[in-house]
Amino acid sequence: MGLSAKEISQHSDRQSCWVIVRGNVFDVTEFLPEHPGGEKIILKYAGRDATAAFDPVHPPDTLDKYLDKSKHLGPVADMEAVAAADKNRKKTPEEEAEAAEETRIAEARKNMPPVDSCYNLLDFEAVARRIMKKGAWAYYSSAADDEISLRENRAAFQRVWFRPRILIDVERVDLSTRMFGARVSAPFYVTATALGKLGHPDGETCLTKAAARHQVVQMIPTLASCSFDEIMDAAEGPGNPYQWLQLYVNKDREITRKIIQHAEARGCRALFITVDAPQLGRREKDMRAKEAALGDGGSSVQKSEGLKSDNSQGAARAISSFIDPSLCWDDLPWFRSVTRLPIILKGVQRAEDVVRAAETGLVDGVVLSNHGGRQLDFARSSLEVLAETMPALRARGLDRRIEVYVDGGLRRATDILKALCLGAKGVGIGRPFLYAMSAYGVDGVDRAMSLLKDELEMDMRLLGARTIDDLGPELVDTRSLGSHPNGVPDDYLARDVYDPLQTPAQRNA
Ligand code: 173
């Protein structure tokens, strides 16, 4: 049996709002004001199928968790009728634009280059940019404010040069290393990034499978599109690689405790607590994309209901309201008390805080990171912070107490090697793998990892390093790293709006 398309379509406004998700009907009328992403986006799908919009931005257990069982109304009787009605419905201008966008993407995908014509990580970005939905591209690629830190993350690597050793026997080169005691095949890992299904229908499991093929670690994000268990299940198999968990700390510590203990029970190897995001940064590209998707006037229903447009958020901010901004140093003993996993602070941005973390004796590692430039604009690059951190740790004899990782802006093996020379145990790579996944799925990520490994092997040879342990500060020239005069990224917004100064005009000229 189930509910008919006709009946569902009658619940299409604020007074009674039903939506279909994966063939089931949900009454979200009372939930509307509580929706973290605002009510407007739900009302857009009132009385119809919301699956395509819902899936990428909600983990599969969301409705079970947050919507009372009495509001789960049961299956749809005739999905064909739902689809037919949707096809015949008069489209709003925004929906027309969406349909045109789908056509554009289908066309772009038809003409996409084969995966093996990507020769480096930036190639995947160039392809992804053309074939991704505008909103998804905006979410992945955006960064905070003027995106100065985003571009500085790349620029900083260009201020460090190599001092290669010569005449070293480099016939055999070994890229493998250890991270928190576990052997991995290369010194990079897939760092946590939210909302994988915006890029690919299989979401984060594409990253999981490629990481497994390559024996590298994947850090699972709190805000994945796939559930934690789906990701862990995708990792199972021969030569099971390692997973870590990235944690956004919930205001409700009981929820956080359950997440941590579940991850530990399922075999996750480390807990990365994000410490650079008490509030999410302003990513204006993301905000503008959401504004475009929702339209400026809204539908006639929305107008008659007097709904305020809710364009202030962007995809990420909308779903981040659970994050606890009161998280502080005093909370660390609690984390230590609920898990035996190594605890790592992710998003540390100054040497003093690394030293402080090490001195607590509660923390096993740090990730120097400015969150891919997505949080505080003008936060320094992780490479620059690394260069001030390692000497500070060594001076206090703390460098063996904690492992130091970096992320942000790494695109080439030379970037990875520069970070390792300066003392990083490993590096996180986020966006490039997302772009490879969005364009080519598992095979794209697989290829991206192979390319990085090829580059690493060659660069280590050319640098005169046989093993990761051979890398050290003597192999790099960092004299320019801390000075930015030739490399402050351009301020695009200001440049576009700047009105040049005028000199006095001649009278009667
Ligand atoms: O960078 C991000 O977008 C991010 O970390 C995040 C945080 C909360 C919700 C979604 C994404």
Side-chain angles (χ1 to χ4, degrees), residues 222-223 246-253 274 277-280 316-317 319-327 371:
T222 297
L223 290 162
Q246 175 270 334
L247 184 72
Y248 275 121
V249 178
N250 198 301
K251 290 173 187 145
D252 180 344
R253 288 296 196 281
T274 296
Q279 178 181 346
L280 234 49
R317 274 191 162 189
I319 58 170
S320 62
S321 50
F322 72 92
I323 299 172
D324 187 356
S326 78
L327 183 70
H371 207 119

